[in-house]
């Protein structure tokens, strides 16, 4: 396996982990108190960030499939 392929796999793993953590923060009831402490502007920005991360993760996963690495 080439170095760039290893980096792509590692990047996907890290991105997936961070995306899952942000999703939990934004949507799970146990995080409501922490969310309530943030401004609406901050939460809106975090939702936009989450959406971007999901798109990026989806495209990176597709590239990994195309290379036969997923």
């Amino acid at each position: 396996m080439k170095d760039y392929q290893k980096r792509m796999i590692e990047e996907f793993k890290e991105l997936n982990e961070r995306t899952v953590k942000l999703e939990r923060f934004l949507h799970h009831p146990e995080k409501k108190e922490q969310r309530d402490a943030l401004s609406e502007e901050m939460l809106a920005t975090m939702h936009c960030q989450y959406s971007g991360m999901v798109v990026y993760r989806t495209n990176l996963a597709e590239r990994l499939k195309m290379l036969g690495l997923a």
Side-chain angles (χ1 to χ4, degrees):
M1 182 180 301
K2 297 179 181 179
D3 286 343
Y4 83 91
Q5 293 171 326
K6 292 176 187 175
R7 287 192 303 271
M8 283 178 63
I9 292 168
E10 187 59 34
E11 180 179 1
F12 179 83
K13 289 177 185 177
E14 291 174 5
L15 177 61
N16 189 58
E17 183 179 309
R18 290 178 183 139
T19 304
V20 168
K21 286 180 182 179
L22 184 54
E23 188 275 333
R24 281 188 198 131
F25 178 80
L26 292 172
H27 298 110
H28 287 244
E30 69 270 8
K31 301 294 185 181
K32 184 180 182 327
E33 191 173 314
Q34 291 174 317
R35 284 192 309 271
D36 288 346
L38 300 174
S39 69
E40 286 185 29
E41 183 180 27
M42 178 65 78
L43 282 171
T45 302
M46 292 174 82
H47 278 281
C48 287
Q49 178 182 352
Y50 172 72
S51 295
M53 291 169 74
V54 170
V55 169
Y56 184 30
R57 180 180 63 181
T58 301
N59 284 289
L60 188 54
E62 193 59 35
R63 288 180 61 206
L64 289 168
K65 271 193 226 176
M66 288 178 195
L67 293 170
L69 300 172

